[in-house]
Amino acid sequence: MTNDNLTDPYDNRTPDNQDHAQATSGSSPLDLFKPAPDYRVTPILLWINIGLFALMALTGVDVMQPSSEGLIRWGANFTPLTLDGQPWRLLTCCFIHIGILHLVFNMYALMQIGPILEPLLGSVQFGVTYVVTGLMGSVASLWWHDIIVSAGASGAIFGLYGVFLALLTTNWLPAEVRNGMLKSIALFVGFNLMLGMSAGIDNAAHIGGLLSGLLTGYTYYLFMLRAGRSANQPLVPLLFPAALVLAMAVLVYAYTDNPMAKYEKIMERFGELERQAMDSFKLPPNTPAKGVADALSERGIPAWQEAIRTLQQADSLELSESLDRRTALLKRYSQLRLNNFQLLQKSLRDTTHAYDTQIEATERQINEVMKQLKASR
């Protein structure tokens, strides 16, 4: 799919659009980065995406294979955080990319469709379409995947191609022009959806963006092109796709379960209780045995009992096998600590060595479980 093929429709459009198509097709590719009267938003989007990637690189994010931590720090769509009070990630993830090749492919696709679609829709409506379809891609990704670290403009770009694909299935253009372009766009979309079935590619975002783009395209045709309206003319019906996407975003955000966020809170609470229990030993050096026993009884033992109850809350969550195994080890660890504290408390109160063997056995078991926990990280 080339720029030459994509500029064909402007031979049948308004003089302004035709002039712009001729200007962009006959000038340097660098001109695609320069705003023009009917081409303002596409260059801005290009510079935002490229600029953010440059900033990521300057802060140490790997330009070839960014780490999940780096992407999350810059606003990637990460299920536990997105669903735990950071819904803005649904939008910010549309402007950051997972490596330079990801950026190049997406920006090339944007430079192919932007000079055609923006003059047709109007700059404001083109920008709204990018945001709305990108947001829909993020929502679809959030709904489809249990846990995801997702980023990139692909959802929004699929949305833009979806708009154009919808228009090409109408009688907007003469059949002899429409059929060739329809085949080209359909092949482009189909190939990329097939490619998206490979591991590591978020096809849910592609499909979500594409479907919302198709809806926007048909809405635009029904209420704009058939009525002979010009680009940038206010069009209230185009608010319908945006409102629908926002409503779906709210529903997904409100009703999608977030087991990882719940698990993280359980782990945070467990960490607090573990510190509280171990702080039972932070006593003055001259504390008598009875004072240590009282501290274990009043603070340490209740903390371990609550830690076990806290970990049991994870039983109702749908977690990965590795997290289930780690939780089971933490339960075992907490139960052994509880047993150890109870034995120590008894030993300190009766000032005998009757419990020494049991205490040593539990300490060996605790050390073994701690080794397993360290290996499971």
Side-chain angles (χ1 to χ4, degrees), residues 70-284:
L71 292 169
I72 292 168
R73 189 168 65 250
W74 277 89
N77 184 12
F78 180 48
T79 308
L81 296 180
T82 303
L83 290 175
D84 192 34
Q86 299 182 18
W88 46 266
R89 291 180 177 274
L90 294 170
L91 182 59
T92 56
C93 72
C94 300
F95 296 92
I96 61 175
H97 287 82
I98 309 174
I100 193 166
L101 292 179
H102 189 205
L103 174 72
V104 168
F105 288 143
N106 278 343
M107 294 305 97
Y108 176 77
L110 180 58
M111 286 190 290
Q112 289 282 313
I113 194 69
I116 300 164
L117 203 57
E118 182 175 348
L120 174 65
L121 298 180
S123 292
V124 173
Q125 289 162 177
F126 178 84
V128 170
T129 299
Y130 181 95
V131 170
V132 168
T133 55
L135 181 60
M136 188 61 200
S138 301
V139 170
S141 176
L142 191 68
W143 173 77
W144 182 258
H145 300 283
D146 292 330
I147 301 174
I148 188 71
V149 178
S150 178
S154 303
I157 290 169
F158 263 86
L160 298 177
Y161 277 88
V163 172
F164 200 51
L165 186 60
L167 295 178
L168 290 174
T169 60
T170 69
N171 61 359
W172 165 52
L173 289 173
E176 61 273 15
V177 177
R178 183 174 70 242
N179 291 340
M181 297 189 69
L182 180 59
K183 185 182 297 184
S184 177
I185 296 291
L187 283 172
F188 173 85
V189 171
F191 172 77
N192 281 279
L193 287 177
M194 289 289 291
L195 187 64
M197 292 181 182
S198 15
I201 296 179
D202 187 7
N203 226 13
H206 296 170
I207 295 170
L210 178 65
L211 292 178
S212 59
L214 290 170
L215 175 62
T216 302
Y218 286 124
T219 303
Y220 185 81
Y221 172 74
L222 289 173
F223 294 96
M224 193 94 168
L225 293 178
R226 285 208 318 176
R229 301 189 183 195
S230 61
N232 283 319
Q233 185 173 345
L235 186 61
V236 174
L238 272 188
L239 295 177
F240 170 70
L244 182 61
V245 168
L246 290 175
M248 292 183 67
V250 170
L251 289 173
V252 169
Y253 189 80
Y255 293 103
T256 299
D257 193 24
N258 189 11
M260 280 304 300
K262 294 176 183 177
Y263 186 75
E264 288 295 327
K265 289 181 179 179
I266 289 171
M267 291 299 103
E268 287 176 11
R269 180 56 180 158
F270 170 77
E272 293 172 1
L273 291 167
E274 182 184 30
R275 286 190 294 273
Q276 179 181 325
M278 300 308 292
D279 283 349
S280 302
F281 294 109
K282 291 184 177 180
L283 299 169

